[in-house]
């Protein structure tokens, strides 16, 4: 058999014909060694160009000859030569040239990316943290340019989607370190990591959490909420997801504070409280449970709120937070609550109530009040609404002046709160100003009265019939 025949083997079928493969492994080893000796013996910039030209010719033969293993070695060797020579421009040019060759093999492109990654990111760690550069501004620019080029290479390639996601996160970190929060958030939004199949579930969640964090930092609250819906809550309940769960709900609290949704905040803090890692630390669970109780008290009354209060009230750990236990007990009793509460000041001094320094100290554009002032006003409003509901249970009608006295409000404020509750549908009431009376019982129609009367008569006749039967039965027993 001739030498040409020995070098030729047959690969996979392509278009009905067998793809010819030429074995160039021995020549590849020799040429790579020759290129390395060429640089080491000369050391000039022209020597690097000569070595790259030597390997470029061999790269074409390997690519055309379908010798993928040798092709990968040649591509990696070309990058190694540029990196060893510390020539960032040559490295970028070589990387771009090799990755855009006609009919370039996917394995070769993947090897180019994997070869360059350790030079720009912490490949042994999380895989996306950029390596620190201390040699000057030019070195930082070279690193950032290489990251961008690697992102361009991985764009649109499914077999490199994991690398593209990590490189995008690297770019976001770089932009954030430069103070460009909006740019970091925008570049991270380009990657729809939830559709990637080659990335683990945990890494997907971490990526989406980073998207949430940056969009919130950018104050794009609408997009932050949209991004949060990409994470299924059931996934966060899986074993080993405790850290991600706490981070997710902590980020959500930032969104709901901006939206001033007390019930959703209570749900978020309760989810944090129920995390095993939080349960193991007394300081953590006390803070989460206190926040849950406070924001439940700030929530507008509903069956869901009442049910959640009942469940939390049965929690044994609530006994260790007496101010929360007492406050929750007052809300669950059908009694009027006097404002302010005994622990009002302490409850309103929790960090979550004050906020994390963003909305707590700055004025709201619409209301002109700080978040703390809003919660303080809402607290008083919820207590008034509770007292009005309790009053409606005990009174069919009451003088407005007497009701205002019970609520410790003026007549005008009492009417305002009654009107708001009637408008929201949480209370039925009618105010008769000339008579100074508030009626809580709804006037019944003639049909309703007649229907109730008929039902009562039916129940009465049933009792009479049952009594007659028992008397007759007793008489029969006594007669025998």
């Amino acid at each position: 058999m001739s030498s040409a025949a020995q070098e030729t083997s047959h690969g996979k079928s392509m278009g009905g014909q067998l793809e010819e493969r030429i074995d160039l492994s021995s020549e590849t080893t020799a040429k790579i060694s020759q290129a390395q000796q060429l640089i080491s013996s000369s050391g000039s910039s022209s020597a690097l160009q000569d070595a790259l030209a030597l390997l470029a010719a061999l790269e074409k033969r390997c690519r055309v000859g379908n010798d993928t293993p040798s092709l990968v070695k040649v591509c990696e060797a070309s990058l190694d030569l540029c990196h060893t020579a510390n020539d960032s421009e040559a490295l970028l040019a070589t990387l771009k040239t090799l990755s855009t060759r006609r009919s370039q093999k996917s394995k070769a492109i993947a090897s180019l990316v994997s070869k360059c990654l350790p030079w720009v990111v912490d490949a042994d760690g999380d895989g996306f943290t950029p390596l620190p550069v201390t040699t000057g501004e030019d070195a930082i620019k070279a690193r950032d340019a290489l990251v961008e080029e690697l992102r361009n290479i991985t764009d649109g390639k499914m077999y490199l989607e994991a690398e593209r996601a990590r490189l995008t996160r690297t770019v976001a970190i770089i932009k954030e370190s430069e103070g460009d929060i909006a740019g970091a958030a925008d570049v991270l939004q380009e990657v729809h990591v939830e559709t990637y199949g080659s990335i683990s579930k945990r890494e997907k969640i971490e990526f989406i959490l980073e998207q949430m964090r940056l969009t919130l930092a950018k104050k794009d609250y609408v997009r932050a909420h949209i991004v949060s819906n990409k994470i299924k809550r059931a996934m966060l309940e899986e074993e080993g997801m405790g850290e991600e769960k706490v981070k997710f709900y902590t980020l959500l609290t930032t969104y709901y504070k901006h939206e001033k949704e007390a019930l959703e905040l209570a749900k978020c803090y309760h989810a944090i409280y129920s995390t095993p890692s939080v349960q193991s630390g007394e300081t953590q669970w006390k803070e989460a449970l206190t926040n849950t109780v406070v924001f439940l008290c700030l929530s507008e009354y509903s069956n869901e709120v009442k049910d959640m209060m009942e469940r939390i009230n049965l929690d044994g750990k609530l006994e260790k937070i007496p101010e929360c236990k007492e406050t929750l007990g007052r809300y669950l009793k059908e009694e009027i609550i006097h404002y302010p509460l005994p622990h009002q000041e302490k409850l309103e001094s929790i960090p979550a109530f004050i906020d994390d320094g963003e909305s707590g100290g700055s004025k709201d554009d619409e209301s002109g009040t700080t978040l703390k002032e809003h919660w303080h006003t809402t607290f008083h409003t919820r207590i008034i609404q509770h007292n009005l509901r309790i009053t409606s249970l005990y009174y069919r009608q009451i003088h407005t002046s007497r009701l205002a006295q019970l609520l410790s409000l003026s007549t005008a404020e009492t009417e305002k709160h009654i009107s708001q509750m009637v408008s929201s549908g949480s209370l039925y009431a009618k105010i008769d100003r000339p008579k100074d009376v508030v009626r809580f019982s709804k006037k019944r129609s003639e049909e309703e009265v007649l229907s109730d009367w008929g039902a009562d008569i039916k129940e009465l006749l049933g009792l009479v019939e049952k009594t007659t039967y028992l008397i007759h039965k007793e008489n029969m027993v006594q007669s025998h």
Side-chain angles (χ1 to χ4, degrees), residues 219 221 257-258 260 358-371 373-374:
K219 300 185 187 298
Y221 295 101
K257 282 177 187 176
H258 176 265
K260 299 177 182 177
E358 178 186 329
S359 302
S362 58
K363 297 284 185 180
D364 188 284
D365 293 336
E366 296 178 2
S367 63
T369 60
T370 64
L371 188 62
E373 291 170 350
H374 166 76

Side-chain angles (χ1 to χ4, degrees), residues 401-429:
S401 56
R402 173 57 180 158
L403 180 58
Q405 184 183 0
L406 290 172
L407 300 178
S408 301
L409 297 172
S410 66
T411 303
E413 289 176 323
T414 303
E415 290 184 358
K416 184 188 77 172
H417 286 288
I418 292 173
S419 301
Q420 288 174 348
M421 292 187 71
V422 170
S423 298
S424 64
S426 58
L427 179 72
Y428 176 86

Side-chain angles (χ1 to χ4, degrees), residues 225-291:
H225 188 249
I226 294 172
V227 171
S228 71
N229 290 329
K230 294 179 181 180
I231 298 179
K232 293 182 179 179
R233 307 309 192 257
M235 292 168 59
L236 297 171
E237 301 297 333
E238 296 178 6
E239 188 177 355
M241 288 289 183
E243 185 179 346
E244 287 76 14
K245 179 182 176 182
V246 171
K247 186 175 180 181
F248 172 74
Y249 283 108
T250 303
L251 289 170
L252 267 188
T253 59
T254 304
Y255 168 75
Y256 286 122
K257 282 177 187 176
H258 176 265
E259 297 297 316
K260 299 177 182 177
E261 296 185 21
L263 179 57
E264 295 300 331
L265 281 167
K267 290 179 180 178
C268 289
Y269 283 118
H270 192 256
I272 294 172
Y273 167 73
S274 62
T275 308
S277 60
V278 174
Q279 290 281 333
S280 60
E282 185 172 347
T283 305
Q284 292 175 298
W285 70 254
K286 274 188 175 182
E287 181 183 356
L289 188 55
T290 301
N291 293 340

Side-chain angles (χ1 to χ4, degrees), residues 424-444:
S424 64
S426 58
L427 179 72
Y428 176 86
K430 284 197 173 183
I431 301 173
D432 189 341
R433 276 184 171 173
K435 293 183 178 179
D436 189 36
V437 169
V438 178
R439 292 186 177 87
F440 293 111
S441 58
K442 188 175 182 180
K443 186 177 180 180
R444 301 166 67 194

Side-chain angles (χ1 to χ4, degrees), residues 25-65:
S25 56
S26 57
E27 184 179 350
T28 299
T29 305
K31 287 290 178 69
I32 291 175
S33 178
Q34 182 182 347
Q36 290 172 343
Q37 290 176 1
L38 186 63
I39 293 178
S40 59
S41 60
S42 176
S44 61
S45 57
S46 60
L48 175 61
Q49 297 302 323
D50 293 341
L52 290 175
L54 178 66
L55 293 180
L58 179 59
E59 182 272 336
K60 182 177 181 181
R61 291 188 60 198
C62 292
R63 176 163 42 83
V64 174

Side-chain angles (χ1 to χ4, degrees), residues 164-183:
R164 175 166 176 78
R166 296 184 189 115
L167 285 166
T168 302
R169 194 164 175 184
T170 302
V171 174
I173 292 173
I174 293 171
K175 286 182 177 293
E176 187 180 8
S177 65
E178 295 171 352
D180 186 6
I181 301 294

